[in-house]
Amino acid sequence: MPIIGPNCPGVANFADRSVFMMGHFGDHDGDCGVAFVSNGGSYLSDVGCADRSLPVAYSIGVGNQAMVNAADIMDILLDDHRVQAINLYLEGIPNPTALSAAGLKAARKGVPVVVVKGGRTNAGRRATLSHTASLAGDHIIASALFRRLGFVEAQTPTEALETLKLLIHTSPIKGRRTAFATSSGTYAVLGSDIAETNGLDLQPPSRQASAELKKYLPPFVHAANPLDISSAHDSDFDVHLNIYRAYLSDEHDIALQVMCFPPAGGCNPRGWNMSTRAFAQAARERDMPAAFINTLPEALPTSAREQMIAEGLAPLMGMEDGLRAVSNAMRLTQLAGYLADRPDEEILVPQDRICGGDGEIMDDANTKAELRACGIKVPHSIIVDPNRTDELTTLRFPVVVRLVGAGPYKTDLHSVVSELDTPEATRRAMTAMAQKLIPSLPKWSYPTFLVEELVPDAVGQLRVQLRGVDRIGLILTISMGCSEAELLCDTATILLPASRATIAEALRSLKLFPLLDGWRGGAVGDVEAAIDAIQMFAQFGHENRERVSEADINSLIVRPKGQGVVAADAVIVACARKGLQFQQ
């Protein structure tokens, strides 16, 4: 117990038949397979009791991770060539740096990792604290960490099991072009909905494939994707083979056959066996990864699964879990290629202690100066006081007036006035604000104001935030700068340092990104300039991580394509103990 655990069920090495576990956790007699590492014992019990045709090499409980954590176990498992994939169930991440080192090792060895994270909701976090006494943490940050390491997150244990099964029994899926065949219109409709929701690309058959299919399909069936073979399901083997050969003659990345196989002791499975054999042969001839997805998880007999595996089909159980597994496997291949091109330092999490505490808030003028110094364009502005306003005539109107020194509370103090069209209107606004503010801000007996030109021709706004998280480092969060983004929880979070490609992918992943990309004939924003500005902001945060605890460009104005972006409003918070050397 001082070594692994406490509060864990034990350790099972099924590959070497060395099992030291409490209770029943399965009997797996293969010599290779998946290694399961779990905070919770019941998760391992479910794996052991599951009848899924998934080979298991190791089943290891880490309990409270008091001394040995999941990353330590994972590091050792990766030295065993019999481990084909790893599944983690985590309720806490006590050492992100160690997990990143294990993740880097997995990426370099080509071992896929599927993770299920417990404690994603408020109720789940409360249960986590009572179960393993570990801090569940921010699930958004955890997801960002997993993406950085090339792990794919599954939402449920059964989704994880089906994903692992597909990884074990097929070759890597190189893209999202999917051939979907079934014998039911219902499965075609429901399956299309689930497939498209999970990012599968169901392109219709080409003209050549359609013409060939017409020779073998019933006359009332049309070539489509999903392909409903309908009554052809009762035809002989050669008809099945010709249908599937024609259907798979187009370029696809994976072939899926979706049906409900009869349970053991039910009707004669001859037609299903013949159809799956023909489908598997057609896919093998094209050297194409292939899977059979049973619409119901419990109805696929063991004998049918074993036959499918022998034929080269991954037998997946449950239409929704199965199609999500396909999407997960596609994502893993994408991440593996992405990580292969990244240096180690963009995968490893630095073991930084992030400065914290209630730091000093930089005023608008100094904030804009910091952004300008790192290459981010800010509005043209001047600093004036209400009694000396001659320079106002040098500005292009309209303008916005901000109190210098009010920090993030400037709006609450009525110290921001926008859309001022003339120098005279600007003078009146500053005088009125000064009279109201002096009683509430006695130490600023003589307030000054930052007067900025408004940014014209805005296509949209972005919000970009930097935040230090202890034991993780700096995180970057991108969202659209509108209330709809908050309503939709539409954000993208990545760990720093990050490449320009990673930042671009995060920006384009936003649900509201099309608003910057010519949605419904609207103007196209300067997206490339926005990516450049975000990258410069991220670099600013990384280079100043010892003196900046938070930074927020809460209005990055995106202008039309070719006209750049402008940081119109921003806040920088200094570390409590480090302080900032403010520019004057």
Side-chain angles (χ1 to χ4, degrees):
M1 194 168 72
I3 300 172
I4 298 179
N7 193 21
C8 77
V11 177
N13 174 352
F14 293 108
D16 293 316
R17 314 303 293 162
S18 300
V19 179
F20 305 90
M21 297 197 88
M22 171 188 70
H24 177 70
F25 288 83
D27 184 8
H28 307 276
D29 57 3
D31 58 358
C32 61
V34 180
F36 291 86
V37 183
S38 172
N39 263 147
S42 292
Y43 186 91
L44 299 178
S45 178
D46 289 345
V47 170
C49 294
D51 183 14
R52 296 259 171 172
S53 298
L54 178 65
V56 179
Y58 288 89
S59 183
I60 299 175
V62 292
N64 292 42
Q65 305 185 84
M67 294 184 68
V68 175
N69 60 49
D72 300 325
I73 298 293
M74 182 176 163
D75 178 64
I76 292 181
L77 290 171
L78 287 166
D79 291 331
D80 189 337
H81 69 276
R82 298 170 299 181
V83 172
Q84 298 171 286
I86 291 177
N87 177 216
L88 303 175
Y89 170 68
L90 301 176
E91 293 175 359
I93 306 174
N95 191 336
T97 301
L99 185 63
S100 74
L104 174 63
K105 188 173 181 178
R108 297 301 183 238
K109 284 179 169 283
V111 178
V113 180
V114 178
V115 59
V116 177
K117 176 65 171 68
R120 298 178 60 85
T121 64
N122 289 334
R125 283 189 286 273
R126 288 195 299 270
T128 294
L129 290 171
S130 64
H131 179 211
T132 55
S134 62
L135 182 61
D138 189 335
H139 75 276
I140 294 175
I141 298 173
S143 294
L145 174 63
F146 299 147
R147 286 194 301 273
R148 183 186 182 95
L149 304 181
F151 300 174
V152 160
E153 269 191 280
Q155 301 302 308
T156 65
T158 53
E159 179 189 335
L161 292 177
E162 296 310 297
T163 302
L164 293 159
K165 191 192 305 181
L166 187 63
L167 296 173
I168 294 295
H169 294 306
T170 64
S171 56
I173 306 171
K174 298 179 181 178
R176 293 189 169 271
R177 298 172 300 179
T178 304
F180 184 129
T182 182
S183 59
S184 163
T186 300
Y187 299 154
V189 173
L190 292 176
S192 294
D193 290 341
I194 300 169
E196 185 171 317
T197 299
N198 288 280
L200 277 61
D201 184 9
L202 304 179
Q203 291 295 319
S206 66
R207 182 179 300 177
Q208 294 83 353
S210 296
E212 189 67 15
L213 279 166
K214 189 176 181 180
K215 299 177 184 178
Y216 307 107
L217 289 172
F220 54 87
V221 174
H222 300 286
N225 187 11
L227 176 68
D228 174 11
I229 66 172
S230 190
S231 61
H233 182 69
D234 299 320
S235 303
D236 61 26
F237 179 84
D238 289 339
V239 172
H240 280 268
L241 184 58
N242 287 328
I243 289 174
Y244 294 133
R245 278 174 171 168
Y247 186 48
L248 300 184
S249 63
D250 288 334
E251 292 298 322
H252 298 290
D253 297 304
I254 187 169
L256 302 179
Q257 189 177 40
V258 181
M259 298 179 184
C260 187
F261 207 95
C267 62
N268 190 333
R270 176 182 174 277
W272 284 267
N273 285 327
M274 181 172 55
S275 185
T276 56
R277 282 178 29 242
F279 187 77
Q281 180 175 329
R284 285 198 310 274
E285 290 173 355
R286 297 281 293 165
D287 195 24
M288 189 182 299
F292 178 91
I293 301 179
N294 207 59
T295 55
L296 297 176
E298 66 272 10
L300 190 57
T302 302
S303 58
R305 297 197 303 269
E306 291 175 350
Q307 180 62 39
M308 290 174 190
I309 292 170
E311 296 282 349
L313 289 178
L316 306 182
M317 301 163 71
M319 185 157 59
E320 189 159 7
D321 280 340
L323 288 170
R324 285 180 177 173
V326 173
S327 179
N328 290 340
M330 292 171 175
R331 177 66 173 158
L332 272 166
T333 302
Q334 179 187 14
L335 288 171
Y338 184 53
L339 264 63
D341 296 332
R342 296 172 69 186
D344 291 359
E345 57 268 21
E346 284 195 20
I347 301 174
L348 292 169
V349 173
Q351 199 163 12
D352 288 345
R353 303 295 294 185
I354 298 300
C355 61
D358 297 325
E360 183 177 355
I361 298 167
M362 187 185 293
D363 64 37
D364 283 296
N366 282 295
T367 295
K368 297 293 176 58
E370 290 278 348
L371 296 180
R372 188 186 300 112
C374 74
I376 299 173
K377 188 175 180 180
V378 297
H380 177 58
S381 63
I382 58 174
I383 297 176
V384 298
D385 65 64
N387 299 318
R388 300 177 63 183
T389 60
D390 293 343
E391 291 184 74
L392 290 175
T393 57
T394 65
L395 297 174
R396 185 191 70 237
F397 285 80
V399 298
V400 58
V401 174
R402 307 174 189 274
L403 173 66
V404 173
Y409 308 106
K410 51 188 176 289
T411 302
D412 296 337
L413 293 171
H414 308 288
S415 56
V416 177
V417 179
S418 188
E419 300 287 348
L420 296 166
D421 294 323
T422 65
E424 184 56 36
T426 305
R427 293 186 190 99
R428 289 197 302 268
M430 287 191 294
T431 300
M433 279 195 289
Q435 291 173 350
K436 290 180 180 179
L437 289 168
I438 287 174
S440 60
L441 303 171
K443 65 179 180 179
W444 295 340
S445 57
Y446 199 67
T448 57
F449 296 90
L450 180 71
V451 184
E452 293 180 327
E453 296 177 355
L454 285 177
V455 181
D457 306 325
V459 174
Q461 299 182 44
L462 291 169
R463 184 171 187 180
V464 189
Q465 298 169 290
L466 289 169
R467 178 161 62 99
V469 178
D470 201 20
R471 296 181 299 167
I472 289 286
L474 278 177
I475 64 168
L476 174 74
T477 300
I478 306 169
S479 66
M480 296 292 289
C482 57
S483 57
E484 290 84 355
E486 185 176 354
L487 180 65
L488 296 172
C489 299
D490 186 20
T491 64
T493 298
I494 54 179
L495 274 58
L496 298 181
S499 66
R500 189 181 190 278
T502 300
I503 292 170
E505 181 186 23
L507 175 60
R508 295 179 186 278
S509 73
L510 297 175
K511 299 182 185 73
L512 295 173
F513 172 76
L515 296 176
L516 298 179
D517 202 30
W519 171 251
R520 291 194 172 183
V524 177
D526 201 335
V527 173
E528 295 303 314
I531 295 169
D532 289 339
I534 296 169
Q535 185 178 24
M536 286 185 280
F537 189 52
Q539 186 64 26
F540 163 80
H542 181 66
E543 292 176 354
N544 294 277
R545 60 191 180 278
E546 293 187 356
R547 68 186 189 110
V548 173
S549 62
E550 295 180 44
D552 184 355
I553 301 178
N554 49 38
S555 184
L556 183 66
I557 305 294
V558 181
R559 303 187 68 206
K561 188 174 182 179
Q563 298 184 37
V565 298
V566 182
D569 199 6
V571 174
I572 295 176
V573 181
C575 294
R577 294 179 298 277
K578 296 290 183 180
L580 285 165
Q581 299 299 317
F582 289 168
Q583 301 179 39
Q584 299 298 328

